[in-house]
Amino acid sequence: MSPFSAGLSSGTAPDGLAVGADGNLWWTGEGSSPAMGDITTAGHISEFPPMTGPPFLEPGDEIVLGPDHNIWFGNEGPSIGIGQITPAGTVSIVDAASGLPTDDQVNGMAAGPDGNVWVTLSGPTPAIGRSTPSGTLTVFGTSAGLNADADLAAIVLGPDGNLWFTDFGLYPAIGRVTPAGQITEFGAAAGMDSAAYPTAMVAGPDGNLWLTDSGSPPAVGRITPQG
């Protein structure tokens, strides 16, 4: 292991990590000095410190390369929302004023096949969010098929061109959302145990979705694109 810390503020604790379009690694940092930045493969760190005014940068561990070649992240600061940062370090935030449910938190994030960024939102109003590169947000909730008692975690692009997510709410399930926003959840009827606690998920090399389940008993699960 080769640790690199030169250029990193003493109060910054790196958390999320993603590969950028510029060939560098981009990271989010929490702690007493929240920040984000990039690191070259040679170990040179560039840091963008917290902002002193809106949008109050305080990134969480959700970070992905967007279809627009910018880096997207979940922001947990006073302006809770979805953040976007250009390779030059310009930040913008899609927050509650732009349609994000108040007090919701970004738990998962993925680049969609439609050129947008998709997120899972947990809180008083759980939902799936879709943001265009320009920051126009559309939220899909119970009216689109989401369980009313959902508690959402990961979201990934599936092999079928849809987005898939994990729901560890009252009725645990694996969900599928189309680029148009139509949600289908696969729970007990599809073989999900009522005591399951699905969290992480990836698209597997076999054309299925794989997930971790830390419920009782703990397990690793597989779901086909047909549910």
Side-chain angles (χ1 to χ4, degrees), residues 16-20 24-27 63-65 71:
L17 192 66
V19 178
N24 295 327
L25 288 304
W26 283 75
W27 52 270
I63 179 171
V64 298
L65 173 64
I71 294 293

Side-chain angles (χ1 to χ4, degrees), residues 164-189:
W164 288 76
F165 60 91
T166 51
D167 176 359
F168 57 87
L170 183 61
Y171 304 102
I174 303 303
R176 179 184 67 205
V177 56
T178 68
Q182 183 60 47
I183 297 172
T184 305
E185 293 213 51
F186 304 96

Side-chain angles (χ1 to χ4, degrees), residues 88-220:
T90 301
V91 176
S92 57
I93 300 290
V94 179
D95 58 15
S98 301
L100 188 74
T102 304
D103 297 327
D104 271 11
Q105 178 175 320
V106 179
N107 268 0
M109 181 175 288
D114 53 354
N116 299 314
V117 173
W118 289 75
V119 296
T120 53
L121 302 170
S122 284
T125 312
I128 303 293
R130 180 186 67 199
S131 179
T132 67
S134 62
T136 299
L137 183 69
T138 305
V139 174
F140 305 99
T142 54
S143 62
L146 188 69
N147 287 339
D149 297 299
D151 207 343
L152 309 179
I155 185 168
V156 300
L157 176 60
D160 56 351
N162 296 313
L163 285 302
W164 288 76
F165 60 91
T166 51
D167 176 359
F168 57 87
L170 183 61
Y171 304 102
I174 303 303
R176 179 184 67 205
V177 56
T178 68
Q182 183 60 47
I183 297 172
T184 305
E185 293 213 51
F186 304 96
M192 176 69 73
D193 192 279
S194 61
Y197 199 89
T199 50
M201 178 185 283
V202 297
D206 58 350
N208 297 314
L209 286 304
W210 289 76
L211 60 130
T212 56
D213 173 6
S214 57
S216 180
V220 175

